Structures are given as structure tokens and as C-alpha cells.
Amino acid sequence: MFNSANELEFLEETTAEISQLSSLALSGDPACSENSSAGSPEKTGYPDSVYILAANIFQGTRLEKSPEKALIKYGNEPLPSSTESEDESFQRLSYELAFSALKYQDILETILIDSYIFPSTTIPDHLNSLIIVMLYDFQDRKFQARLLSGNEESIAEVLEVENLLNSFKTKLAAALARCRIKHDALSIYHILPETVRNQELRASTLPLYAWINTCKISPEEVYYTLKKNGYNKVKSVLHIDNKVFAVDQHCYDVLIFPSHLKSDLLNIDLFKDYKLIFQDKSRSLAVHSVKALLNMDDDILMVNTGSWYTVAHMSVLTNNNTSKIFVCGVQSQAKDPDLKNLFTKMGCKNIEILHETFMKLELKDHRLQKVKVILLLPRCSGLGVSNPVEFILNEHEDTDLLKDFSQGGPSEDKLHVLAQQQYEQLAHAMKFTRAQAIVYCTCSVYPEENEAIVKKALEFQDHEIKVQPYRLSPPVLPLCSLKEIHLSTDKFFRMEPSEITNGCFISVLTRERDPSETVSVKDVLARAAAKGLLEGIELGKSSKREKKKKKQKMSLPKSSIADNSGIQMKIAEFLSRETNVSANQPETLTTKTSLPQKNTNQVGSSSQVRKPSKPTTNPLVPTIMKNTSARPHERPTNFVRSRPEDRMIPLKPIEIALPPVILPFPSPQGIRSHLPTPHFYYRWVGPKTVLPGYLSTPSILRRGEKPKENLPSSLPRHSRP
């Protein structure tokens, strides 16, 4: 301890600085400024159990220094914690307090040395971690006394450290003021590295993301309930302080809320009943990528899922399928009842827990025979996440990440270790022969954990396995902005950390198509016909002669055009003579009428080539003449035959269609082979133009004997070439 003269001199030097204690706390901290602007009450401290748990977290994650630079020695023994530390709210408070102490570890140690607490006191080394976390909270409360609740049980170690800090209150405040002046900072918050400050700034404004549990409620019901509670639906929640929400552009079942509404939202029954679940958007993007690759009966294998809410979200998206979700890595079977109880409350039924780690899963495990998609969420640095506490608690990540976050990123050695683990897991996933796709997702912004891992795994994949190799596929998620399109040009889906979302990286790997499994159009039509989907449609066989004739149709010889005038005269005489016969003897047309056919093309099937010498009965002529036999003096006005199916039936085309009789072409076979055949289909919808060699309808009517007023109104008109 110090003598009275030294203490008096020390107080005289720092009197002016102590008068401004109210401004010495973390006034620049976004969290503090947010709370003060919202009119929240002054901080009163934490329960004793929170301090104990925070001290243990700090003890395991603190930045270790070399012995010659270590000013304070920390013990290796953890402090005994109470059962309250297992509560989720207590854990969140403890992690936040420990993370804050980690960020300011150097500054807090300097304050303790400068205030002469060390080495003047004889406090045990294992309590030094508790001193650090309680000192941070003490200065954050502006060195005001902690308010204790009446029913709270006190812990002896906490009371001992609290009394020590209160006795050095003035000296601690003066040391804090000198530290701020030394760094020329408005507050010690501005002493932090810029990367850490930017991360905290994003964390204070980052919107909240929650996905809808469609097993229990529909999106429309959620919108209605939120509206009843005063929430209005908008397109964007940025810079809006009111009670609003928006629908995410990438995931149709994800809602976005302003960050300051979390405490109010937790009191709504939608969140209490697991109808809305808070979770980082990157996990929703991952499960939606898997959903886009699934068939109705495909199973899924999830690796390193972290949060059980991710598994539940995957189960909800596949609720209408027969898919089963396998989750590996749950080593403790004691958690099974709690997990099953959670999934039951959320309405999830298709989840099966595997207690083996992913690397120990056998490739031919009978339980995984129907697994077609593997979702791989490896441990990563997570530097794309703004709030590391939420990331660690929700994804069950290692607390060592707090150290990396507090320093602005992991060390090179740590990054190399993580990258090696990620590569080994991805390479192992590619060995499952029955799997057809892999979704690889991280929350990192380092290429060493993202693109480099995927490219390395694709390059060194085992080609000796008798399956098709994997290839990089484009993103299956919608790209909603030009920036996203630009970031995805190399087939990777990326989202950079911003004020609206955390960072995210997604890669989709799919197996190349096996050439032996390529299905032709002919095979597809044959399968459809076997299932009765092509009823009434005749499937023909394609031939080389058809392709040859098709090429001949593309180029019409000039010699055939030169003989058009002679051909037209013969056609006109023949039709005039046949028209007179048909007018006197209409009954003869109701009998057999044969037309030689050259080509038969059908819609949706291959063509059939038949010889012209074999006549084929045209099914259209008897039907038409049956309708006209009762009234021979009138011409039919409608050639459409009603069918009960009321659908288009492809009919065989004919060479020429002139009312009321359809007759073959009288020209020589050599000439006809070079003329293109016009195709007429059901309902008599014919081409608007007639190729050379055919007479137009008006010319025939001028030579015929029947007047113009008896012409049918629905006949197609053909213009001269």
C-alpha cells in the first residue's frame, strides 16, 4: 500500500481529470451510444454468476504474452461456476462481457499497473481474470456502485474483487483518463484497431433475420399477426426506427426486422411458440441452396451444422417431401432427448441423429444409401460475422474465435489449420459415390477458406472411383443486384459484410452427367407413350430418307418452276371434270377414297416415309361427305369434327386440299418428288401461301359450275405465287 503523502500528491494531479469521469467511459462505443439515445437506464452491473463465467471464458481465450512482457500473471485454475451459468441468457451476458474484456485486455492491464493495484496487492493469481472482467464493467458503469437484488446469492470471490476495485476507484479513474489522453482519443473505444471498430459498428446496426416455420404457420398468418402487433410490411428496414418488417429477396420464408426491436419481438407469441426463429441469414442461404438441388425422395447429410435451428430449417423446407435428414457429429447421446424435444416442438419429423463424426462415417453406410446432397458447414474463422457472440452461441463454435475477433482476425498459423480441416472434410464428402451434389458454405471472407479449398478439392479429387467427377456449378440462389452478379461471375455465391448482412460464401458442386445415361428425344417419347401420355398420337420412326427429303425441300429446283404453266392447265381440266362428276353422284364419294401419300409428318414425333404406290384411305373424306350426303345441294360450312376430348389431334397431311374433293397430284412422279408438300393439320388450318404448281382457289371457282355464294366460309384461301 501507499503512504498518505504519495496518495495526496496523486489526487492533486488528477483532480481535474476526475471531474470529467462521466465522459471517460466508452462513450464512443456504438452499443453505448445506442442505449443512451434510446433512453435506457444506467447500467447496474451483472449477477455474480455472470462475472464468474465471464472470467472463466476470458481465462481460456486471453491473449498470452511472452514471460518478459507479461505484466500480470493469470492462474490456470477455473473458478467454480453455479448452475445458473447454464441458462442461455446468463451465457449470452457472460460471453459479451468476456469478449469486451478481450478487446480491451492491453488497456485494462495498463490501467491496473498505472493505478498501482499491481503489484501492491496480494490477491491470488487465479482471480486476476475476474479482476479484468469486473474492471471493464466498473468503468463502463462510470465507476458507480453495483446494485444488488435482494434474492441474489453472493459469491465470495466476486465480493473480494469488488471491494478491491471500490477502494481504488479514484486511482483507476485517473489511470483511465491518462490512457485516453496518451492516445489522443475521445474514449478508449477509439483506441481499438479500425477493423474491430468497424465490426462493432456493423453489429450495432445489423438487422435481425428470422425464418418462418411453415410446419406450424403460413407466411400470410405471420404477416397478419405482426400487423395486429403494430408491425407494417415495407420493402427495406434500413434507417427505419418504426415497427416494420420486410421479406428477404433471396429466401422467401425469411423476414427482416430492425435491430433495436429484438426485445420487443421476443415477447410475441410467434417467437415463443417457435413459429418465427432468429438466425443468421447465411444459414438460411445454405439450406435454400440444398432445397434447390433436391428431388422428392432424396436424403440429405448435414455436416458441422452448429445450430440445431439450421437442421430444423432444413427439415421444414423438406416437410412435403419424403426426404430424410441425417445429422452427424452429435457425440453425446445424453443430448438426444433434449434435441428430440426441441424438434417435436418445432414440428420436425424427418431428422435422424448420427453419433459418428463425419470423418469416421463409412462410405457404404446402409443408412446413407439415398443421400444425394451433402451440406458442409465447416468450422471457419467467421470473420465475415459482425457479432461473434451470437455466432458462437448460435453455431456452437469454439470460444477461441473470441480471441481472433478481438484481434481483428486469426493468425496465419490458425488460418492454415482451419483451411486444412476444411479441405479434408470436403475431400471426404466427394468420396460418397451415391451423392450427386455438395453445398459448401462458410461465414469467412478469406479466400484461403473459400475458393482455394474448393478449387483444390476439385483438382485432386479421386478419379479412380467409378463415378462421374464433380464440377463447379453456378449459384442456385437468385442474384438480386448487379453487385451480386459481379461477385458470382466465377460461379461462387458471395455476400460481403455490410450494414444489412454478414459475409457469406457458398459453392455448389455437382457431378458431371454420365454420357451413358443421356436420354434422347426418342427415348423420352417412348417413355411418355408407355405411360399413356401420348394417347392418340402415332410415334413414327425417323429415317435417313426423311432427312434427305427435308434437305430437298429447302432448295427447290428451277426446272420444276419452269413447267408450272403446263401443270396448272392439266390440274384445272382434271378438277373441272371431277367436280361435275361429284355434283351428279355425291354418293360415290362416301365410299372408298384413296390418296397416295408421300410424306407423313406428325407433330411431336418422327416422320414416316411411305411409297406413293401404296394407296391409303384418307380418314377425312368419309367424315366430311357423310355430313353432306343428306343435303347434296349444300356445301359443308364446317370441316371440324367434334371430339369428346376437345384437344388438338395431329392428322396425316395431304398433298393438296381443294374443296370439296381432295385429289392426288396428277403430274409425273419425277416432278412431284421435287415439289414441297404442304402440311394441313386438324381443323383445316392450312398455310396462307401456295407453292408453285398449285392452282389458287379463285381460279378454280371461275372454271367450276357452282356459284360463288355457295362457297364455304371456313375454307382456307390460297394466293397465287
Side-chain angles (χ1 to χ4, degrees):
M1 300 295 293
F2 303 98
N3 56 40
S4 58
N6 290 337
E7 291 182 356
L8 180 60
E9 181 182 358
F10 182 84
L11 290 173
E12 289 176 353
E13 293 176 353
T14 58
T15 301
E17 296 173 348
I18 296 174
S19 62
Q20 300 178 353
L21 286 179
S22 59
S23 63
L24 295 181
L26 300 184
S27 58
D29 196 322
C32 296
S33 61
E34 181 184 350
N35 293 336
S36 61
S37 62
S40 59
E42 295 292 337
K43 295 183 178 181
T44 59
Y46 298 99
D48 289 6
S49 57
V50 172
Y51 289 121
I52 295 295
L53 181 57
N56 290 335
I57 297 173
F58 177 84
Q59 173 69 23
T61 57
R62 62 182 174 82
L63 182 63
E64 297 182 2
K65 300 179 181 179
S66 59
E68 60 274 9
K69 295 183 179 180
L71 302 177
I72 299 177
K73 296 180 180 180
Y74 298 92
N76 297 323
E77 299 179 5
L79 298 173
S81 58
S82 61
T83 56
E84 292 181 348
S85 60
E86 299 179 359
D87 183 75
E88 182 179 354
S89 60
F90 276 79
Q91 287 185 352
R92 192 176 303 277
L93 293 174
S94 301
Y95 273 94
E96 290 175 352
L97 181 58
F99 180 57
S100 299
L102 279 171
K103 290 185 296 184
Y104 298 100
Q105 179 180 346
D106 291 340
I107 299 174
L108 295 174
E109 289 179 350
T110 302
I111 293 174
L112 288 174
I113 299 298
D114 195 17
S115 63
Y116 297 100
I117 289 183
F118 291 100
S120 62
T121 59
T122 57
I123 195 167
D125 291 345
H126 71 278
L127 292 181
N128 289 341
S129 297
L130 184 60
I131 293 177
I132 291 290
V133 296
M134 293 189 69
L135 174 59
Y136 172 81
D137 179 58
F138 193 33
Q139 64 83 33
D140 197 29
R141 299 197 315 265
K142 301 178 182 179
F143 299 99
Q144 300 299 315
R146 181 170 63 113
L147 299 179
L148 301 176
S149 59
N151 56 355
E152 183 179 349
E153 183 179 355
S154 299
I155 300 177
E157 291 84 357
V158 175
L159 290 178
E160 181 181 358
V161 172
E162 187 172 25
N163 292 331
L164 174 66
L165 295 177
N166 283 328
S167 64
F168 280 83
K169 173 180 177 180
T170 305
K171 300 172 185 177
L172 291 171
L176 175 61
R178 287 193 293 271
C179 181
R180 178 183 62 84
I181 295 172
K182 177 182 177 180
H183 292 86
D184 192 21
L186 296 175
S187 68
I188 61 173
Y189 165 76
H190 294 90
I191 304 176
L192 293 175
E194 184 179 1
T195 55
V196 178
R197 283 187 280 129
N198 292 337
Q199 174 186 305
E200 287 196 355
L201 183 61
R202 289 198 309 268
S204 63
T205 60
L206 189 69
L208 303 172
Y209 290 87
W211 54 271
I212 302 173
N213 185 355
T214 53
C215 287
K216 306 188 70 173
I217 193 171
S218 65
E220 291 74 17
E221 292 175 319
V222 172
Y223 304 156
Y224 177 75
T225 304
L226 289 173
K227 188 174 182 180
K228 285 177 58 180
N229 286 272
Y231 288 83
N232 297 319
K233 186 178 179 181
V234 295
K235 292 185 177 180
S236 176
V237 299
L238 285 181
H239 313 298
I240 299 180
D241 296 331
N242 300 328
K243 298 173 68 174
V244 295
F245 71 94
V247 180
D248 185 69
Q249 293 181 324
H250 299 94
C251 308
Y252 60 87
D253 61 341
V254 174
L255 303 183
I256 314 173
F257 299 90
S259 58
H260 66 276
L261 298 175
K262 186 170 185 178
S263 58
D264 181 71
L265 289 169
L266 290 175
N267 295 324
I268 299 179
D269 292 338
L270 289 175
F271 289 90
K272 294 180 181 179
D273 300 335
Y274 295 101
K275 296 178 180 178
L276 274 178
I277 294 93
F278 283 123
Q279 194 171 22
D280 186 69
K281 180 181 175 179
S282 62
R283 297 318 190 209
S284 297
L285 292 172
V287 296
H288 273 273
S289 298
V290 174
K291 177 64 169 61
L293 299 168
L294 287 177
N295 292 321
M296 289 295 293
D297 57 346
D298 291 345
D299 290 348
I300 308 160
L301 177 62
M302 301 185 69
V303 184
N304 294 342
T305 55
S307 174
W308 299 115
Y309 290 155
T310 306
V311 181
H313 196 182
M314 189 77 261
S315 175
V316 169
L317 290 179
T318 58
N319 184 49
N320 295 328
N321 299 7
T322 57
S323 304
K324 183 177 291 186
I325 302 172
F326 295 94
V327 185
C328 61
V330 185
Q331 300 179 4
S332 176
Q333 297 185 6
K335 295 183 179 180
D336 288 0
D338 296 335
L339 293 178
K340 291 180 180 179
N341 184 33
L342 174 64
F343 294 146
T344 301
K345 290 180 179 179
M346 302 184 70
C348 304
K349 302 177 182 179
N350 57 343
I351 301 174
E352 183 172 339
I353 299 174
L354 306 178
H355 296 287
E356 301 91 340
T357 60
F358 176 62
M359 299 301 294
K360 293 183 179 180
L361 277 179
E362 296 182 4
L363 301 179
K364 297 183 179 180
D365 194 321
H366 68 279
R367 297 169 297 182
L368 309 178
Q369 296 304 305
K370 293 179 60 179
V371 169
K372 299 300 182 183
V373 183
I374 299 177
L375 174 57
L376 185 58
L377 301 168
R379 282 192 58 212
C380 62
S381 62
L383 200 62
V385 178
S386 300
N387 192 335
V389 174
E390 294 290 339
F391 180 69
I392 291 174
L393 290 177
N394 294 336
E395 304 304 326
H396 303 287
E397 292 288 347
D398 194 345
T399 55
D400 288 342
L401 290 178
L402 288 179
K403 183 196 300 184
D404 300 335
F405 276 98
S406 64
Q407 302 301 316
S411 61
E412 292 186 3
D413 295 339
K414 178 70 173 294
L415 190 61
H416 177 74
V417 172
L418 289 174
Q420 183 63 26
Q421 294 175 355
Q422 294 156 359
Y423 168 73
E424 292 175 357
Q425 289 185 348
L426 182 56
H428 186 64
M430 298 172 72
K431 295 179 182 178
F432 286 83
T433 57
R434 293 185 179 272
Q436 298 298 315
I438 300 174
V439 177
Y440 178 87
C441 177
T442 72
C443 297
S444 175
V445 295
Y446 291 110
E448 294 88 341
E449 297 182 278
N450 298 334
E451 300 93 329
I453 297 297
V454 176
K455 293 179 180 179
K456 181 180 178 181
L458 289 174
E459 181 180 358
F460 294 101
Q461 59 181 314
D462 190 1
H463 293 280
E464 295 181 359
I465 303 177
K466 296 181 180 180
V467 291
Q468 291 299 108
Y470 277 99
R471 63 179 178 182
L472 187 62
S473 296
V476 293
L477 295 169
L479 304 177
C480 303
S481 65
L482 293 176
K483 184 178 181 180
E484 292 181 5
I485 296 175
H486 175 72
L487 292 175
S488 304
T489 52
D490 53 356
K491 297 185 179 181
F492 296 114
F493 181 87
R494 298 183 185 88
M495 293 188 69
E496 296 180 344
S498 65
E499 60 180 351
I500 60 174
T501 182
N502 288 323
C504 178
F505 173 86
I506 296 179
S507 175
V508 178
L509 306 179
T510 57
R511 291 199 185 275
E512 297 180 1
R513 184 179 297 275
D514 191 350
S516 62
E517 297 180 359
T518 304
V519 181
S520 63
V521 177
K522 180 180 178 181
D523 296 334
V524 173
L525 292 174
R527 294 178 185 177
K531 294 181 180 180
L533 301 178
L534 302 179
E535 182 181 357
I537 301 178
E538 181 182 355
L539 295 179
K541 296 182 179 179
S542 59
S543 62
K544 295 182 180 179
R545 294 178 61 188
E546 177 194 358
K547 296 180 181 179
K548 185 177 180 181
K549 289 189 176 183
K550 187 175 181 180
K551 292 181 180 179
Q552 292 176 353
K553 294 177 184 178
M554 297 299 295
S555 57
L556 189 64
K558 294 182 179 180
S559 59
S560 62
I561 301 176
D563 298 335
N564 282 342
S565 57
I567 296 173
Q568 291 178 3
M569 294 298 295
K570 294 181 179 180
I571 293 175
E573 294 175 0
F574 180 80
L575 291 178
S576 177
R577 183 170 59 255
E578 292 297 324
T579 302
N580 296 333
V581 175
S582 62
N584 297 328
Q585 298 178 353
E587 297 83 0
T588 59
L589 293 178
T590 60
T591 59
K592 297 180 180 179
T593 305
S594 300
L595 291 177
Q597 295 186 351
K598 294 173 61 179
N599 280 353
T600 305
N601 297 330
Q602 292 193 355
V603 177
S605 63
S606 303
S607 301
Q608 294 180 346
V609 181
R610 300 180 182 178
K611 296 182 179 180
S613 59
K614 296 182 180 181
T616 305
T617 303
N618 193 337
L620 292 180
V621 177
T623 305
I624 297 171
M625 297 314 298
K626 285 179 183 178
N627 296 333
T628 59
S629 60
R631 302 176 64 183
H633 60 282
E634 292 186 6
R635 291 208 174 183
T637 58
N638 188 9
F639 292 96
V640 179
R641 180 172 59 180
S642 61
R643 300 182 66 90
E645 297 87 1
D646 193 20
R647 60 187 178 187
M648 299 295 292
I649 302 298
L651 299 179
K652 298 179 181 179
I654 55 179
E655 284 202 39
I656 188 169
L658 292 175
V661 181
I662 301 175
L663 296 174
F665 208 111
S667 61
Q669 182 65 26
I671 298 178
R672 285 193 299 165
S673 62
H674 298 286
L675 293 178
T677 304
H679 296 172
F680 297 93
Y681 300 93
Y682 187 63
R683 300 185 186 274
W684 293 87
V685 180
K688 295 183 179 180
T689 59
V690 178
L691 293 175
Y694 293 90
L695 280 178
S696 61
T697 302
S699 64
I700 297 177
L701 294 177
R702 284 194 300 268
R703 299 179 179 226
E705 298 180 2
K706 295 193 177 182
K708 294 182 179 181
E709 55 269 13
N710 292 335
L711 286 175
S713 59
S714 61
L715 287 177
R717 293 187 174 274
H718 308 284
S719 58
R720 272 188 177 276

